[in-house]
Each structure stands twice: as structure tokens, then as C-alpha cells.
Amino acid sequence: MAKKNVIIIGAAGRDFHNFNTYFRDNSEYNVVAFTAAQIPDIDGRKYPAELSGELYPEGIPIYAEEDLVKLIKEHCVDDCVFSYSDVPYKKVMNVSAIVNAAGSNFKLLGPGDTMIKSHKPVIAVVATRTGCGKSQTSRKVIEELMNKGLKVIAIRHPMPYGDLVAQKVQRFATVDDLKKHNCTVEEMEEYEPHVTRGNIIYAGVDYEAIVRAAEEDPDGCDVILWDGGNNDFSFYKPDLTITVADPHRPGAEMNYYPGEVNLRLADVVVINKMDSAAPEGIQTVRENIALANPNAIVIDGASPITVDHPELIRGKRVLIVEDGPTLTHGEMKIGAGTIAARKFGAAEEIDARPFLAGKLKETYEIYPNIGNILPAMGYSDQQLKDLETTINSSDCDSVIIGTPIDLNRIINIKKPTTRVYYDLEEIGYPKLSHVINQFTEKHHLNKEMA
């Protein structure tokens, strides 16, 4: 039989994983291209031959998703595989209509064909949307495991926006490793909170190679913690799935791909941010959990915030800088910085838009609903420079940094700044500690603390 020609529609993450696990060594298919969306400046390069396997000695080109119809016709494509996350169902079916109208099949790969089995027990922390609070949930789970004397290795959903060969397997144990691997702001936001707390975290491109390295980590490994990205489902077959839901966006848990997959796969659902969400939003999320996954354990959670310099907020005109993906494809209208501004009595939340420099203007054109908040975009040196220029040009008294990292470390901010901190706190019962106790007993992992 003739090989089927395939295009993988992605955003430099799930698309590469789907290729590696399902297509790379599969002689029934010929992947002619990847297309790229969501992340700036990742099209126009190649998935390299060094990672593509014997069937692709020249590597595989990556094009902008806008070229999809042209590519289908030029390459007589049989199947297009949708492979990125945090998109509304309408968007998924719009792409399906485009693909079908161009003459190709539209496909989605599921967990059975893409999850890798680890030799260690795996806990997956995933979510219904970007920005639900996976990171603080992951940190809480790791703390519970470490309190039992266990060695935990976190593996983060991919963000490979640079040299893909160099990023095949990445290990982060110190803040210096972030510089060593030329991390973007988005990568730093995810990795830095782990390493500053003494946790080792892996990431990269080839997640089979990554998990095998993590299992044999020189510092030891008892448990793998999958620290999910966007609202994608785990790359590894989990022994315990914890899904985080956000009552600030009620209903999204049933209307975004593949967030509903995570809701239905969950052993545990954490309803986060209950301290700042409307009661009717919380109730909607509860009802949807009961509808989609009535057997899941539901944990009520909050993410209370603290700031290091509240005096720089009270009565001040503040510019708020938030995590980029949460504001862009995550579609959040507020983040930790906004909550801090209102909690600590800012006089005014300055609109960032009149001061935008360079590529940041493009971000607002693509995502016009961001509003007056400034996303911490830093996928390139130019974007970092534009971020720095925008902040320093803004007409504000001070800057609230709502991202998980200290931006002062990577750009020169000339305004007074205060950072926002947040961790997960459970409300009432059950608690994550009860869930982790059952997990460690089931897998015979209980140890005495040294």
C-alpha cells in the first residue's frame, strides 16, 4: 500500500510528541510538514533530521498554519492531525472544516497512542485551561511527596522554541541551568519556581528519552510528576491524574480542547481560586464535574496572594505585568497581579497599550481582548527588549510583577517593582495529603524521613 501523506497541525509541543510517539518509525505514513500556530516565530524552520528518525533523513519543514490549504493540495495530503491545546471547540471544528474542504481527513490522536509508560509511578497534574493553577498544584504535590522522604522528578510539558537538537533532553537543577539552556521567559516561569525550591525538572523535545533520563537521574527518582502545559493531557500514562479547574472561566471545562479530556480522565479535580471567584462560577464548575466525572474526588482550593512591597501598590498608579500564555490563548482577563492591585488598594491600573513597543504591538493585534494588562512576552531577545522598553516608557508609579519569576533578573526595569507570590491552599476536606497518602501506600513508596 502507498504511504499516507500527513500534516501535523501544532504549536511546537504536542505536535512533536505526536510525531515521535506515533509517526516517527511508522512506515505507513509520510509526514510532509508541520504547521505552527499560537507561538510567535516558530514557523519557517525544520524539525531536524537528528530527531526525525531513519524515515526522514532531511528532517521535516515547519510552516505557518495559514499555509495549511496550500500544503494539503501541493502534497496530496491524506490526513491532517490536530496537535495543540487550549482551543475552543469551535476553533477545532473550524480547522476541521478547512481540512475537509481541502480534501483531507481531520484526526485527533488520543492517550492510547501517545502516552509513554514510565518505569516509575507517575502523577499527572493537568488542567481544563491555561492559567488554572497547575504550577502551584504541582508544587504542593511535590511538597507532600518530599515530606515522605521521596525523590521527585518533575517533567514539564514542552516549550522547545530554540535549537531543537540541543533541547532534546534538558535537565534543570539550578537557576544557572536556565541561562545554560537559553530559556525564554515562558520557560523560566515554569522551571524557576521548581529549581529555587530544590526540585529537579526535565523538559525538551523527545519525551521517551526524557523520562528514561529522569528515571535514572543521578540524584535519584522515586516518582515522576508530570507538570502539564496549557490544558493538554499527559504525555505519560499516569497512575494518578489531578486536574485543575478555574471558576473564573466557568463552563470552559466543557468547551475547550482537550481540557474536557482532562476533566473526564481525572481521579481528582481541584477547583482552584475559590477565594477570588464568583459563587455562581464555582457552582457551574461543580455541576460540570458532576456531569462529566461524578466519581472524581473534588478538592476545594484557593491561591491566596502575597506581595513583597505592598507600599508600592497602595494609592499608586500601577502597571500590571502578567504571565503571557495565560493572557493570550488562555484568555484570562485578570491574573495574580490584578488581584494584588485590587487587594492592596492601587489608585489606578495603567493601560499598557499606549506604550507598546515593537513586537508587543503584534501580540495585541492577534489577541485584542488582553485589555490593559501587559503580557510578559519573551520568546526572543527582541521581545524582551520590547517588554523592557514598554515597561520603562509607561506612565506609572510602580510595576506589579504577576509572573512566577523576577523580571528584574532578565530585563532592566527602571520603575519600582513589587512581586506577587501565590501557593495552593486547600479549603476543608478532602485534601491533597489524603490523596497522596493513598497513592504512596498503593505503590509501596512510604519511607522514613532522614
Side-chain angles (χ1 to χ4, degrees), residues 303-315:
S303 290
I305 62 168
T306 59
V307 298
D308 50 8
H309 294 291
E311 71 277 6
L312 293 178
I313 300 177
R314 187 168 301 280

PDB file of all heavy atoms in Angstrom, residues 303-315:
ATOM      1  N   SER A 303      -5.851  30.208  45.927  1.00  0.00           N
ATOM      2  CA  SER A 303      -4.484  30.648  45.647  1.00  0.00           C
ATOM      3  C   SER A 303      -4.278  32.037  46.235  1.00  0.00           C
ATOM      4  O   SER A 303      -4.200  33.035  45.503  1.00  0.00           O
ATOM      5  CB  SER A 303      -4.210  30.649  44.138  1.00  0.00           C
ATOM      6  OG  SER A 303      -4.155  29.341  43.623  1.00  0.00           O
ATOM      7  N   PRO A 304      -4.235  32.133  47.570  1.00  0.00           N
ATOM      8  CA  PRO A 304      -4.069  33.447  48.190  1.00  0.00           C
ATOM      9  C   PRO A 304      -2.733  34.066  47.797  1.00  0.00           C
ATOM     10  O   PRO A 304      -1.733  33.372  47.650  1.00  0.00           O
ATOM     11  CB  PRO A 304      -4.118  33.141  49.688  1.00  0.00           C
ATOM     12  CG  PRO A 304      -3.744  31.696  49.798  1.00  0.00           C
ATOM     13  CD  PRO A 304      -4.266  31.049  48.555  1.00  0.00           C
ATOM     14  N   ILE A 305      -2.740  35.377  47.617  1.00  0.00           N
ATOM     15  CA  ILE A 305      -1.544  36.061  47.143  1.00  0.00           C
ATOM     16  C   ILE A 305      -0.902  36.886  48.248  1.00  0.00           C
ATOM     17  O   ILE A 305      -1.556  37.359  49.176  1.00  0.00           O
ATOM     18  CB  ILE A 305      -1.863  36.965  45.936  1.00  0.00           C
ATOM     19  CG1 ILE A 305      -2.847  38.044  46.336  1.00  0.00           C
ATOM     20  CG2 ILE A 305      -2.387  36.147  44.750  1.00  0.00           C
ATOM     21  CD1 ILE A 305      -2.999  39.140  45.324  1.00  0.00           C
ATOM     22  N   THR A 306       0.409  37.028  48.126  1.00  0.00           N
ATOM     23  CA  THR A 306       1.166  37.960  48.953  1.00  0.00           C
ATOM     24  C   THR A 306       2.057  38.782  48.036  1.00  0.00           C
ATOM     25  O   THR A 306       2.342  38.381  46.899  1.00  0.00           O
ATOM     26  CB  THR A 306       2.030  37.227  49.989  1.00  0.00           C
ATOM     27  OG1 THR A 306       2.941  36.336  49.306  1.00  0.00           O
ATOM     28  CG2 THR A 306       1.180  36.414  50.948  1.00  0.00           C
ATOM     29  N   VAL A 307       2.497  39.937  48.513  1.00  0.00           N
ATOM     30  CA  VAL A 307       3.427  40.771  47.758  1.00  0.00           C
ATOM     31  C   VAL A 307       4.573  41.167  48.672  1.00  0.00           C
ATOM     32  O   VAL A 307       4.418  41.223  49.893  1.00  0.00           O
ATOM     33  CB  VAL A 307       2.745  42.029  47.176  1.00  0.00           C
ATOM     34  CG1 VAL A 307       1.655  41.651  46.194  1.00  0.00           C
ATOM     35  CG2 VAL A 307       2.187  42.910  48.278  1.00  0.00           C
ATOM     36  N   ASP A 308       5.731  41.442  48.060  1.00  0.00           N
ATOM     37  CA  ASP A 308       6.882  41.781  48.898  1.00  0.00           C
ATOM     38  C   ASP A 308       6.928  43.268  49.269  1.00  0.00           C
ATOM     39  O   ASP A 308       7.548  43.627  50.270  1.00  0.00           O
ATOM     40  CB  ASP A 308       8.201  41.341  48.237  1.00  0.00           C
ATOM     41  CG  ASP A 308       8.336  41.779  46.795  1.00  0.00           C
ATOM     42  OD1 ASP A 308       7.492  42.561  46.318  1.00  0.00           O
ATOM     43  OD2 ASP A 308       9.285  41.318  46.133  1.00  0.00           O
ATOM     44  N   HIS A 309       6.247  44.122  48.497  1.00  0.00           N
ATOM     45  CA  HIS A 309       6.253  45.562  48.807  1.00  0.00           C
ATOM     46  C   HIS A 309       4.857  46.151  48.603  1.00  0.00           C
ATOM     47  O   HIS A 309       4.596  46.846  47.617  1.00  0.00           O
ATOM     48  CB  HIS A 309       7.262  46.296  47.922  1.00  0.00           C
ATOM     49  CG  HIS A 309       8.686  45.918  48.175  1.00  0.00           C
ATOM     50  ND1 HIS A 309       9.356  46.245  49.333  1.00  0.00           N
ATOM     51  CD2 HIS A 309       9.565  45.213  47.420  1.00  0.00           C
ATOM     52  CE1 HIS A 309      10.593  45.775  49.283  1.00  0.00           C
ATOM     53  NE2 HIS A 309      10.740  45.139  48.139  1.00  0.00           N
ATOM     54  N   PRO A 310       3.940  45.915  49.536  1.00  0.00           N
ATOM     55  CA  PRO A 310       2.578  46.441  49.379  1.00  0.00           C
ATOM     56  C   PRO A 310       2.519  47.958  49.299  1.00  0.00           C
ATOM     57  O   PRO A 310       1.585  48.519  48.719  1.00  0.00           O
ATOM     58  CB  PRO A 310       1.846  45.906  50.608  1.00  0.00           C
ATOM     59  CG  PRO A 310       2.918  45.544  51.590  1.00  0.00           C
ATOM     60  CD  PRO A 310       4.092  45.141  50.788  1.00  0.00           C
ATOM     61  N   GLU A 311       3.517  48.623  49.872  1.00  0.00           N
ATOM     62  CA  GLU A 311       3.534  50.094  49.826  1.00  0.00           C
ATOM     63  C   GLU A 311       3.690  50.628  48.413  1.00  0.00           C
ATOM     64  O   GLU A 311       3.382  51.804  48.139  1.00  0.00           O
ATOM     65  CB  GLU A 311       4.659  50.634  50.724  1.00  0.00           C
ATOM     66  CG  GLU A 311       6.075  50.409  50.224  1.00  0.00           C
ATOM     67  CD  GLU A 311       6.653  49.032  50.552  1.00  0.00           C
ATOM     68  OE1 GLU A 311       5.880  48.184  51.082  1.00  0.00           O
ATOM     69  OE2 GLU A 311       7.854  48.812  50.290  1.00  0.00           O
ATOM     70  N   LEU A 312       4.173  49.783  47.494  1.00  0.00           N
ATOM     71  CA  LEU A 312       4.305  50.207  46.104  1.00  0.00           C
ATOM     72  C   LEU A 312       3.004  50.026  45.321  1.00  0.00           C
ATOM     73  O   LEU A 312       2.946  50.334  44.123  1.00  0.00           O
ATOM     74  CB  LEU A 312       5.422  49.415  45.407  1.00  0.00           C
ATOM     75  CG  LEU A 312       6.846  49.683  45.913  1.00  0.00           C
ATOM     76  CD1 LEU A 312       7.857  48.800  45.186  1.00  0.00           C
ATOM     77  CD2 LEU A 312       7.205  51.155  45.742  1.00  0.00           C
ATOM     78  N   ILE A 313       1.975  49.544  46.006  1.00  0.00           N
ATOM     79  CA  ILE A 313       0.653  49.369  45.371  1.00  0.00           C
ATOM     80  C   ILE A 313      -0.365  50.361  45.929  1.00  0.00           C
ATOM     81  O   ILE A 313      -1.055  51.036  45.168  1.00  0.00           O
ATOM     82  CB  ILE A 313       0.150  47.924  45.552  1.00  0.00           C
ATOM     83  CG1 ILE A 313       1.122  46.924  44.919  1.00  0.00           C
ATOM     84  CG2 ILE A 313      -1.257  47.774  44.966  1.00  0.00           C
ATOM     85  CD1 ILE A 313       0.713  45.466  45.118  1.00  0.00           C
ATOM     86  N   ARG A 314      -0.436  50.458  47.245  1.00  0.00           N
ATOM     87  CA  ARG A 314      -1.490  51.273  47.859  1.00  0.00           C
ATOM     88  C   ARG A 314      -1.390  52.730  47.427  1.00  0.00           C
ATOM     89  O   ARG A 314      -0.370  53.389  47.612  1.00  0.00           O
ATOM     90  CB  ARG A 314      -1.416  51.181  49.389  1.00  0.00           C
ATOM     91  CG  ARG A 314      -2.587  51.882  50.084  1.00  0.00           C
ATOM     92  CD  ARG A 314      -2.633  51.518  51.554  1.00  0.00           C
ATOM     93  NE  ARG A 314      -2.770  50.073  51.771  1.00  0.00           N
ATOM     94  CZ  ARG A 314      -3.914  49.419  51.676  1.00  0.00           C
ATOM     95  NH1 ARG A 314      -5.023  50.065  51.355  1.00  0.00           N
ATOM     96  NH2 ARG A 314      -3.947  48.121  51.881  1.00  0.00           N
ATOM     97  N   GLY A 315      -2.467  53.205  46.810  1.00  0.00           N
ATOM     98  CA  GLY A 315      -2.533  54.589  46.386  1.00  0.00           C
ATOM     99  C   GLY A 315      -1.701  54.926  45.163  1.00  0.00           C
ATOM    100  O   GLY A 315      -1.609  56.091  44.773  1.00  0.00           O
TER     101      GLY A 315
END
